Each structure stands twice: as C-alpha cells, then as structure tokens.
Amino acid sequence: MVLSFRGEFNQKVDGKGRMSIPADFRAVLADGDPRCPETPLPRVVVLHGPHLKNCLHAYTIDAMAEIEEGIRKLPRGSDARKRASRMILGKSWDTEVDKDGRIVLPQRLRQQIGLEGEAVMVAMGDYFEIWNAATYEEVEAAETAAFLEEQDGDFDPLTLIDPPGED
C-alpha cells in the first residue's frame, strides 16, 4: 500500500531557506523513494513555476516518475509534450531531506511564492503544497467560503468522491 500525504503543518523558514519537513511527510517521501531505506535520507521533487500561482508542489520520487512516464507517452515533437516537459520537467527541482529533517529551498523558489518567516505545507494525497502562511490563509479561506456558499447547508465533503469500492 502506498502512503499518502495527510494533514496541514506550519513550519518556520529561516533566512537561508531551511525548513523542516513534518515527520509524517518524511515517512511518505521515504516510502516513495526506491533507494530508501538503504539510503536513509529521502529525496523530494519540488515543482515550481508561474502556472502554480501561489505555491510549490512537492512529490515523491515515485510520483514524479509516474508523471514523467505520462509525458513520455505523449507524441514526440508534439506541442503537448513540449508544453508538459517545459512546465513540469523544466520547472522541477530535486533535493534531499537532510539528517535534521529539513530541506533548503533556493531563494528563487522562495521569491516565487513570497516565502519568508512561516510556511504552510498542505497535504494533497500524492503530493503536498508549500505556501507562504499568510497567502495560504487568505486564499484558502476565500476559496472555501465561495465554494460553501454554493452548497446546501448540510454539505458533506464525502459527496465529492465516489464511495470506496465503486468506479
């Protein structure tokens, strides 16, 4: 069974861009890195770029391999393959979680999302998002309020998915 990212965590970001990866997330990263547990420090692939708007996406090695396989299936020379390659492969950055459970985000990635002081890491199942804490609070609150405004008063988020065991 493949582990999933779950939860929402606030983490401090120091002036050098170091930030702790929550232990729960490190376990998923290790589970999704073929070289673990022989090599105890899991790797993570961080996707960036203007198409992500206000956040970065962080994937396991296995999850990024699945994405890369999807790109390879696109016809060579096609606009779709070029676009996907540039926006995904060209905008991805690999790093390793250090012995203290941290990664160091380069300044250009921090600048893209205005990250300084405090980050929020939000689980998205097969990846997690990294946000500037204030931006996340503002965007998430607005998006949730707008969505709930359109729903019935007794809205249940489980209605968004198919029941387990059904396709």
Side-chain angles (χ1 to χ4, degrees):
M1 182 173 92
V2 177
L3 298 178
S4 292
F5 293 106
R6 292 190 194 129
E8 183 179 296
F9 300 89
N10 287 48
Q11 300 289 6
K12 296 289 182 203
V13 181
D14 72 14
K16 295 180 181 179
R18 293 178 295 208
M19 56 189 283
S20 293
I21 302 296
D24 291 351
F25 284 13
R26 290 194 310 267
V28 178
L29 291 171
D31 187 55
D33 188 342
R35 70 178 199 179
C36 290
E38 293 80 24
T39 303
L41 303 176
R43 296 169 292 169
V44 59
V45 180
V46 178
L47 186 61
H48 58 93
H51 59 287
L52 296 179
K53 307 289 185 252
N54 297 310
C55 68
L56 306 172
H57 290 182
Y59 292 89
T60 67
I61 296 299
D62 286 346
M64 186 52 73
E66 287 178 22
I67 292 167
E68 290 169 359
E69 180 61 29
I71 292 171
R72 278 192 290 279
K73 289 180 180 178
L74 295 170
R76 285 183 186 254
S78 70
D79 286 342
R81 185 168 177 165
K82 281 191 265 186
R83 194 171 301 111
S85 294
R86 288 178 184 151
M87 293 179 82
I88 298 170
L89 302 178
K91 298 292 185 191
S92 63
W93 171 72
D94 294 29
T95 192
E96 184 176 86
V97 177
D98 71 15
K99 63 181 177 43
D100 296 319
R102 302 174 304 186
I103 62 170
V104 180
L105 284 175
Q107 184 176 7
R108 65 186 170 86
L109 298 185
R110 295 191 317 266
Q111 285 176 335
Q112 177 187 314
I113 61 170
L115 183 58
E116 54 184 53
E118 188 173 7
V120 177
M121 293 178 216
V122 182
M124 301 297 285
D126 60 342
Y127 70 98
F128 64 92
E129 296 175 335
I130 302 170
W131 289 76
N132 167 301
T135 304
Y136 176 72
E137 186 176 319
E138 181 182 316
V139 170
E140 199 277 335
E143 287 178 355
T144 299
F147 177 77
L148 290 176
E149 185 84 15
E150 298 171 1
Q151 307 307 313
D152 293 332
D154 59 348
F155 171 73
D156 181 352
L158 292 176
T159 61
L160 296 172
I161 61 174
D162 291 331
E166 291 186 16
D167 289 327

